[in-house]
Amino acid sequence: MKMKRLHTGFGVIVSTRGFFNPELAHEGRVEILEKLKSMGYDTVCLDESDTRYGLVETMDDAGKCADLFKENADRIQGIIVCLPNFGDEVGVVSAIDKAGLNVPVLVQACDDEKDKMDIAGRRDAFCGKISVCSNLNQYGIKFTNTTFHTCAIGSDIFTEDIRDFAKVCRITAGLKGLRVAQMGTRPAAFQTVRYSEKLLQKMGIQVVPVDMSEIIFAAKRLEITGEVAEAAARIKSYGRLEDSVEEEHIVKQAKLYVTVKNWMKENDCQTGTIQCWDSLQINYGCAACLTMSMLGEEGMPMACEADVTGAVTMYAMYLASGSPCGYLDWNNSFGEDRDMCIGIHCSNFPKSFISGPFEIGSLDILGNSLGKENCFGACKAVIAPGNMTYGKISTDEEKGKVKMYVGEGSFVEEEIDTPGGVAVCKVPGLQALMDHICSSGFEHHVAMNRGNSAKVLAEALGKYMGAEVYYHKGEEARK
């Protein structure tokens, strides 16, 4: 099943100032709208019949732009300000302020050309951008800067800036109004995963709790419907099953998967977490890992051990990358290599996160005490090599803040003889990262995602969502 990708649309403001050549701004407007269209983004921008060339230049223009943005608020996840010349900073900031959309803003200004510095060809956008940004700061409007202070609209660097900005917009739009399922309570020993619902609510994230007994008894009552049969067939082809797995184990897991998925849909939850041990094994007779793995593969990330902020982290990473996350423990050192460690969970890793062959069987540790027949559903593998982003959101009640750390590293290929889902990780400056995690009171859990998304996650959570973010930049952080 393919994961859905959230559509991103931009409100576009192209501005000019009266005594500069408006033709440059007109050409810039045409160019940026064509560029955004070619990249697959929806745009909302003043028409050339609304204002001179469809530009924002006066307070009247700003009012028209604000009204247009408000009318199309459901299509706009971010605003791009384009300055082909100096631009009118008051017009720009007034349009954004009056629209009141409270979405991320990207500010771009065009390069001057050394051989076009006459009155007709000079842009002065280098200077104009400073004025626009000053006004945005005065109005308390958060904004994202381009990599270079000025750049050509058609440049590759601006293309990457737009793509990164789109990810920032997806993250902020996806987290505002996010509904997180908490199925059951945390295991008593796991005080590490305690959190503040109220602090998440201030960020616009709603927790939806349900007693684990409701899920268990709903799964027990479920007949072998077409939906259950389809889920059972998918389990058989999802990975390689251990020889000891019997049909009744598969059916139990299929019923749990269908029950959890339907409850999530009925309660409009986009991500969630399950009390994965040991009530489920004792009172129902299977592990939750495989159900969580399959839902994660479908774009519905699920965290272990009722770790709600872990589920939020996984969903933020999914929004950034469009690919599934794994949920692990920072678990073992790697000999004396201080930039290497091992991440392990039972595990609930989605199929494409593992990115290679894997085995589906019973929990290894709990299976020894609760019986293998009651613990079917663990996805066992060593994660395939590749770039990765790691991070964790948490709540800090003493500071009254949501906090996060995020960074990048890699999965490496190493022979490791240990049970469960295993990731051998290389993180530059790992010792400094571990010092921050311990001294700041973060949990032992960590979300990991393939690819490189740390920069956009730090921008979205730190700048636009109000979290206190530590962005670990590898070698720069090394002690």
Side-chain angles (χ1 to χ4, degrees), residues 69-143:
F69 283 4
K70 282 189 282 190
E71 290 167 9
N72 293 274
D74 60 337
R75 295 171 55 199
I76 298 173
Q77 289 183 312
I79 294 172
I80 296 179
V81 176
C82 176
L83 303 173
N85 59 23
F86 192 95
D88 189 278
E89 66 267 27
V90 177
V92 170
V93 76
S94 296
I96 296 171
D97 184 55
K98 289 180 178 180
L101 301 188
N102 193 28
V103 296
V105 176
L106 177 67
V107 183
Q108 179 270 345
C110 292
D111 287 331
D112 276 301
E113 298 174 60
K114 289 186 293 184
D115 59 347
K116 294 180 181 179
M117 293 296 288
D118 58 357
I119 297 300
R122 215 176 83 182
R123 296 182 183 273
D124 287 19
F126 190 99
C127 181
K129 179 174 180 177
I130 299 171
S131 294
V132 167
C133 293
S134 174
N135 275 266
L136 290 171
N137 275 295
Q138 290 177 43
Y139 278 67
I141 297 171
K142 302 290 193 298
F143 63 91

Side-chain angles (χ1 to χ4, degrees), residues 197-255:
E197 280 192 52
K198 292 180 180 179
L199 289 178
L200 290 180
Q201 182 65 58
K202 282 185 179 180
M203 190 179 270
I205 297 169
Q206 178 70 46
V207 178
V208 186
V210 59
D211 193 273
M212 199 64 212
S213 64
E214 292 187 37
I215 302 298
I216 289 173
F217 280 100
K220 282 186 173 182
R221 288 194 302 268
L222 200 59
E223 300 292 334
I224 302 180
T225 61
E227 195 176 13
V228 171
E230 184 181 341
R234 184 180 167 208
I235 288 169
K236 292 175 182 177
S237 61
Y238 192 70
R240 186 178 67 81
L241 297 176
E242 285 181 348
D243 294 338
S244 59
V245 176
E246 298 180 4
E247 184 68 21
E248 65 175 299
H249 302 149
I250 295 170
V251 171
K252 277 186 179 179
Q253 189 71 224
K255 288 183 177 182

Side-chain angles (χ1 to χ4, degrees), residues 259-278:
T259 299
V260 171
K261 183 174 182 177
N262 287 345
W263 191 94
M264 297 277 287
K265 286 184 176 180
E266 288 164 8
N267 290 274
D268 191 27
C269 292
Q270 294 78 45
T271 185
T273 183
I274 297 178
Q275 179 187 345
C276 57
W277 57 281
D278 52 9

Side-chain angles (χ1 to χ4, degrees), residues 3 67 69 132 166 228 351 366 412 435:
M3 300 177 70
D67 289 342
F69 283 4
V132 167
V228 171
K351 185 174 186 175
L366 280 183
V412 297
D435 180 66

Side-chain angles (χ1 to χ4, degrees), residues 183 185 187 212 274-281 286-289 292 303-306 363 366:
M183 299 184 176
T185 188
M212 199 64 212
I274 297 178
Q275 179 187 345
C276 57
W277 57 281
D278 52 9
S279 174
L280 189 62
Q281 290 80 10
C286 76
C289 305
M292 293 193 284
C304 313
E305 294 148 2
L363 299 173
L366 280 183

Side-chain angles (χ1 to χ4, degrees), residues 55 72 144 192 196 204 255 274 276 281 301 305 463 475 478:
L55 307 174
N72 293 274
T144 295
T192 49
S196 169
K255 288 183 177 182
I274 297 178
C276 57
Q281 290 80 10
E305 294 148 2
K463 183 171 287 182
E475 294 293 340
R478 188 189 299 276

Side-chain angles (χ1 to χ4, degrees), residues 51-65:
T51 65
R52 185 168 70 142
Y53 297 126
L55 307 174
V56 171
E57 184 175 3
T58 67
M59 288 300 293
D60 185 54
D61 298 341
K64 291 178 180 178
C65 182

